[in-house]
Amino acid sequence: MTLFNHYSALFFSGFGYTILASLIALVASLILGTFFALLQLSKKRFLAMLGNAYVQFLRNVPLLIITLFFYLAVAKVIKMTGFVSGTVALSLYTSAFIAESVRAGILAIDHGQMEGALANGLSYGQAMSRVVLPQAFKVALPSLGNQLINLVKNSSILAFVGGLDLMYQGNLVAASSFDTFTSYLVVGLFYLVLTLPLSYVMQYLEEHLQESR
Amino acid sequence: MSMIEFKDVEKYYGDFHALKDINLTIDAGETVVLIGPSGSGKSTLIRTVNGLEEIQEGQLLVDGFDLHDPKTDMNKIRKNVGMVFQHFNLYNNKTVLENIMLAPRLVLKRDEEENKQLAMALLERVGLADKANNRPSALSGGQKQRVAIARSLAMKPKCLLFDEPTSALDPEMIGDVLRVMKEIAEDSDMTMLVVTHEMGFAKAVADRVIFMADGQILEDSSTEQFFQEPSNERAKKFLSQVANH
């Protein structure tokens, strides 16, 4: 408790950066993931291959490698801080998994929904965004929940590139207090403060949306 | 004026020859019933009319548009050609009223107030005004199909395609759906192309009957002639089998 009181400013600052990185990556990975899911399902073979290559590449390389790639290589060309390169890497990495969840969701929706909408006069884009995707997200919700929780925990990758996040501050506290165990215990509790409510929100959404079906 | 015109149309699924040398003209305002044994290509044929299936050879003109031309904007055709499916294909994530209002709002940019009034009037017409705020999942099959018909009518199409609209329904639900279809055929100058096994409906409503088997059109006659004395042997046999039920 005294350790926490002593270093609370650091912990809270790290907590803030972790929340910020998670929120940015959450929004970005949902948008990118949906985009690449649609690309994978495109009838145009080239686009489908492009989408597939993106997903296979990003989900089969360790997050740490992607992060270091942005921090060490890309940052030489486009100036960015560790926080930015970590958040970008996290967004891209997570988007590959989200693309797979969304793709599975779309495939689970009866093809008649798309045909009905097209025959009704809607364009492919309108049919997708108004009819198919809302239903696909509902189906994909449990798996999306998993990805989002992983995303929050994976944000600890920022610590490797000086990303100022919770894990980064935890490392600093551990190094200066010499009480490694308590330092990381506090860090772990902070992550739980984020991920547990997220789990419950996803559970609530699942149950709630089931009723409105 | 012809609404639909097939000229030497061929359709393949891989190696399977699904439509063979189809030549068929349907005039604006006509009601045409398409019958034949299952697997004869009736559904495939009707689905080419709004571009849900592509043709490989020949020419297909619908409302003046050439469907075989890759430059043709399919959405322009579908705006004027509605379709009612065997399995309804209502939007499961929308209420009954929203099912009907969605396409006119997005595609025709119809004024919201007018859109709602028209949708309610259509629901009234198919006898389901009290279900406006229900989800499709709360409806019976027959009710779903009547909503699907209302959804198509809301676009004020020139032509309506019906792909076995009563085949997935319980027997006691079929009458309500056929009654609505009959009313449309009688009250409007819409072109109707109907794939069905309901011979009573065909006799009462159709101007013409087309008999298909093995991907070919074997008979194209006026309704009276078809039911009294079909010229094709397979059609004769088919009719006697259906009549013996």
Side-chain angles (χ1 to χ4, degrees):
Chain A
M1 214 52 215
T2 49
L3 178 128
F4 176 69
N5 284 335
H6 194 74
Y7 293 103
S8 64
L10 286 182
F11 281 124
F12 278 113
S13 150
F15 189 56
Y17 276 105
T18 290
I19 292 177
L20 185 62
S22 299
L23 278 178
I24 294 170
L26 185 145
V27 173
S29 64
L30 275 175
I31 293 170
L32 281 173
T34 306
F35 175 76
F36 280 100
L38 292 175
L39 216 55
Q40 277 184 290
L41 292 170
S42 167
K43 281 210 187 85
K44 302 215 169 65
R45 192 176 277 171
F46 173 72
L47 294 182
M49 268 169 53
L50 200 71
N52 197 38
Y54 174 90
V55 169
Q56 295 307 344
F57 183 73
L58 280 167
R59 75 172 180 165
N60 289 312
V61 173
L63 174 56
L64 180 56
I65 304 289
I66 302 171
T67 308
L68 289 175
F69 172 74
F70 275 93
Y71 187 63
L72 299 174
V74 180
K76 286 231 167 82
V77 187
I78 310 162
K79 260 219 150 327
M80 59 173 114
T81 61
F83 176 79
V84 173
S85 42
T87 307
V88 169
L90 184 63
S91 304
L92 297 184
Y93 177 79
T94 311
S95 74
F97 292 90
I98 287 185
E100 282 300 271
S101 303
V102 173
R103 189 175 68 93
I106 292 172
L107 290 178
I109 303 304
D110 176 20
H111 190 56
Q113 294 288 307
M114 175 54 88
E115 283 197 341
L118 291 178
N120 204 194
L122 269 60
S123 68
Y124 179 83
Q126 289 170 332
M128 233 343 144
S129 63
R130 306 301 182 106
V131 178
V132 178
L133 276 180
Q135 297 180 58
F137 275 117
K138 227 182 262 184
V139 174
L141 205 59
S143 136
L144 286 177
N146 254 335
Q147 310 303 346
L148 298 183
I149 289 163
N150 276 336
L151 182 151
V152 173
K153 295 186 293 177
N154 285 341
S155 70
S156 59
I157 201 76
L158 266 72
F160 275 89
V161 290
L164 309 175
D165 69 312
L166 198 46
M167 187 57 94
Y168 174 85
Q169 304 294 6
N171 287 339
L172 288 187
V173 173
S176 77
S177 70
F178 301 111
D179 186 353
T180 1
F181 178 77
T182 319
S183 304
Y184 290 120
L185 186 70
V186 173
V187 168
L189 288 175
F190 265 109
Y191 278 109
L192 276 180
V193 168
L194 277 179
T195 48
L196 278 182
L198 190 58
S199 300
Y200 282 114
V201 168
M202 295 314 278
Q203 247 172 37
Y204 171 81
L205 277 178
E206 253 178 70
E207 282 159 22
H208 183 76
L209 289 174
Q210 215 66 36
E211 280 165 24
S212 74
R213 260 237 257 250
Chain B
M1 205 196 78
S2 67
M3 181 73 207
I4 303 169
E5 206 173 337
F6 287 81
K7 284 182 201 159
D8 309 321
V9 167
E10 310 280 346
K11 157 90 191 160
Y12 299 87
Y13 291 109
D15 288 337
F16 181 67
H17 201 169
L19 294 178
K20 297 171 188 161
D21 190 29
I22 302 293
N23 283 285
L24 173 66
T25 304
I26 295 171
D27 288 333
E30 259 192 309
T31 300
V32 176
V33 164
L34 197 53
I35 63 173
S38 59
S40 59
K42 317 179 290 287
S43 283
T44 305
L45 187 145
I46 203 172
R47 285 164 58 86
T48 60
V49 176
N50 65 349
L52 287 182
E53 301 287 350
E54 279 179 45
I55 62 169
Q56 273 73 45
E57 276 170 54
Q59 200 182 26
L60 173 51
L61 296 173
V62 177
D63 193 23
F65 292 97
D66 181 356
L67 265 83
H68 199 25
D69 183 349
K71 286 197 285 285
T72 301
D73 182 359
M74 225 42 105
N75 292 332
K76 281 198 182 134
I77 297 164
R78 289 171 179 154
K79 216 158 77 172
N80 291 317
V81 180
M83 187 174 223
V84 175
F85 297 84
Q86 181 177 2
H87 295 289
F88 331 118
N89 296 349
L90 292 178
Y91 310 138
N92 291 329
N93 58 328
K94 308 256 178 223
T95 63
V96 164
L97 190 64
E98 270 299 312
N99 260 274
I100 300 173
M101 289 171 67
L102 185 67
R105 181 190 301 135
L106 294 180
V107 182
L108 306 178
K109 318 274 182 229
R110 187 177 286 154
D111 168 70
E112 191 65 15
E113 198 48 44
E114 187 194 336
N115 194 12
K116 192 168 180 187
Q117 275 176 13
L118 186 73
M120 282 311 295
L122 285 167
L123 277 177
E124 200 84 50
R125 183 165 162 193
V126 299
L128 292 169
D130 57 325
K131 303 284 184 191
N133 295 315
N134 284 82
R135 295 260 167 179
S137 56
L139 305 184
S140 73
Q143 292 171 332
K144 281 182 195 170
Q145 197 58 298
R146 283 183 279 152
V147 172
I149 293 172
R151 179 175 74 174
S152 293
L153 289 176
M155 293 293 285
K156 299 191 174 163
K158 295 180 190 168
C159 174
L160 254 187
L161 310 170
F162 292 85
D163 187 8
E164 303 205 25
T166 56
S167 299
L169 301 181
D170 291 336
E172 74 269 24
M173 307 282 181
I174 292 176
D176 287 335
V177 172
L178 291 180
R179 199 171 311 126
V180 170
M181 288 169 62
K182 229 178 251 181
E183 274 175 31
I184 300 169
E186 283 158 6
D187 300 349
S188 74
D189 48 9
M190 219 180 291
T191 312
M192 284 170 73
L193 181 56
V194 186
V195 173
T196 186
H197 296 291
E198 298 293 330
M199 294 304 143
F201 173 81
K203 259 183 220 171
V205 177
D207 300 314
R208 252 161 84 196
V209 177
I210 289 162
F211 177 77
M212 281 185 81
D214 302 327
Q216 288 171 299
I217 292 179
L218 296 183
E219 171 131 13
D220 180 352
S221 324
S222 74
T223 307
E224 293 113 63
Q225 198 196 328
F226 183 83
F227 283 106
Q228 277 165 14
E229 192 56 52
S231 52
N232 181 275
E233 277 308 311
R234 297 250 339 236
K236 228 176 255 179
K237 198 170 152 224
F238 180 79
L239 266 188
S240 70
Q241 280 168 339
V242 176
N244 285 342
H245 271 311

